[in-house]
Structures are given as C-alpha cells and as structure tokens.
Amino acid sequence: MGTFNVQISIGDQQRAQWIDLDALVDTGASITSVPASVLRQLGVTPLMQQRFQFGQGEVRLMDVGQTWLRVEGREVVTLVLFNAEETVPLLGALALEGVFMGVNPVAKRLEPVEGFMV
C-alpha cells in the first residue's frame, strides 16, 4: 500500500493545549502511538496496560491512555499508546475510524468516509 505521513495534534483532556506531530499513517496499528513524554507533557495518564505485538514479533505490555486527537480538522477522544521516546508517532486504525477518515493509497492522503450502520 505504501506509507505516508500526516500532521496530527494531540490535546490535553480540556482541549486547551495541543502538540503538533508528524505521524505515519498505519492502518495495521490498533491505536495511535506517541512518545510517552508528549502524553505526559499534556497531563495524559495511563488508564490501563495492554499487550501489543510489534512487527518483529515481540510482545510487550504497554501503557494506554485516552485523550483528544485532531487530524484533518476533525477531533475525537481516542486511545493512545505511551511509546518509547525514539519511536515515530503512528496514526492508528481506531483514531482513523473515530474521525471518519479513510486511506487513499494511490494519492497517499486521508479522505472523509461515511459511517456504516447495518
């Protein structure tokens, strides 16, 4: 499919402070992943720990929190992974679904999508 980056903003619980990040769009990632220091700077605290399997097969128990995310002018409260400092921020599938955006792999951009009710 190819990869591409988009600008996202992670906000605090009150939506008063935002940090802009360049994130890799990763539909294979369950949730959005951000260096832990960014989340701590915003006052986001872990809600739980969850096991995550990484691309190399490694499984780690990681902290997960919840906060505001803005992408393409749309805002949503979503789960976020407290990741290692050297990692690239990832925009995951849950957040993409939450803001009703889909991936156009040819144009390498996000596009609005309709919600589905069955």
Side-chain angles (χ1 to χ4, degrees):
M1 170 167 102
T3 61
F4 61 97
N5 289 38
V6 295
Q7 287 294 305
I8 65 170
S9 299
I10 301 292
D12 63 8
Q13 299 293 324
Q14 298 76 32
R15 295 165 63 188
Q17 181 183 6
W18 295 85
I19 296 176
D20 297 330
L21 300 167
D22 188 44
L24 180 67
V25 175
D26 187 354
T27 58
S30 302
I31 67 173
T32 296
S33 166
V34 178
S37 63
V38 171
L39 297 173
R40 288 190 193 101
Q41 182 179 344
L42 292 167
V44 179
T45 57
L47 298 173
M48 65 179 137
Q49 290 193 318
Q50 175 62 41
R51 291 168 46 99
F52 285 87
Q53 182 173 359
F54 289 78
Q56 312 85 339
E58 176 188 6
V59 176
R60 286 190 273 165
L61 188 63
M62 307 284 290
D63 287 335
V64 175
Q66 181 177 341
T67 198
W68 285 95
L69 175 121
R70 182 186 299 143
V71 59
E72 301 285 335
R74 298 170 182 227
E75 295 179 4
V76 68
V77 173
T78 191
L79 295 175
V80 288
L81 175 68
F82 285 70
N83 211 342
E85 294 310 305
E86 67 277 1
T87 59
V88 172
L90 299 177
L91 179 59
L94 181 63
L96 286 170
E97 290 178 7
V99 293
F100 296 97
M101 299 294 285
V103 175
N104 179 328
V106 176
K108 294 188 176 187
R109 68 174 181 237
L110 301 178
E111 297 181 350
V113 296
E114 295 178 344
F116 294 102
M117 296 296 294
V118 182

